């Protein structure tokens, strides 16, 4: 005997099952297509770099404060 599972396991099966149920809402796949807009990608990378730089500065301040506290 098989596993007995009748649940859809990929996007096409899920869409067909939704149509079969009469679900007329827009079907959305869990993993959307990749964004190929280079402007948005570059803006996101710039934001991430800014956040990483800020994190690095805060880490350096914290380590300096800990080192100063140990010295006293």
């Amino acid at each position: 005997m098989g596993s007995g599972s009748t649940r859809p396991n990929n996007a096409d099966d899920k869409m067909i099952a939704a149509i079969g149920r009469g679900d007329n809402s827009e079907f959305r796949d869990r993993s959307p297509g990749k964004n190929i807009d280079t402007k948005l990608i570059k803006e996101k990378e710039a934001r991430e770099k800014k956040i990483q730089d800020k994190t690095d500065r805060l880490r350096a301040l914290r380590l300096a404060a800990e080192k100063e506290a140990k010295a006293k």
Side-chain angles (χ1 to χ4, degrees), residues 22-46:
D23 187 0
N24 293 330
S25 63
E26 184 179 336
F27 178 77
R28 296 179 190 264
D29 194 0
R30 283 187 182 168
S31 56
K34 290 190 175 195
N35 188 358
I36 57 172
D37 187 357
T38 56
K39 182 179 177 186
L40 289 176
I41 292 170
K42 288 181 181 180
E43 288 174 359
K44 183 178 178 183
E45 288 174 353

Side-chain angles (χ1 to χ4, degrees), residues 7-27:
R7 295 187 63 190
N9 60 358
N10 64 28
D12 292 336
D13 291 343
K14 290 177 184 179
M15 181 175 63
I16 292 168
I19 291 170
R21 287 192 307 269
D23 187 0
N24 293 330
S25 63
E26 184 179 336
F27 178 77

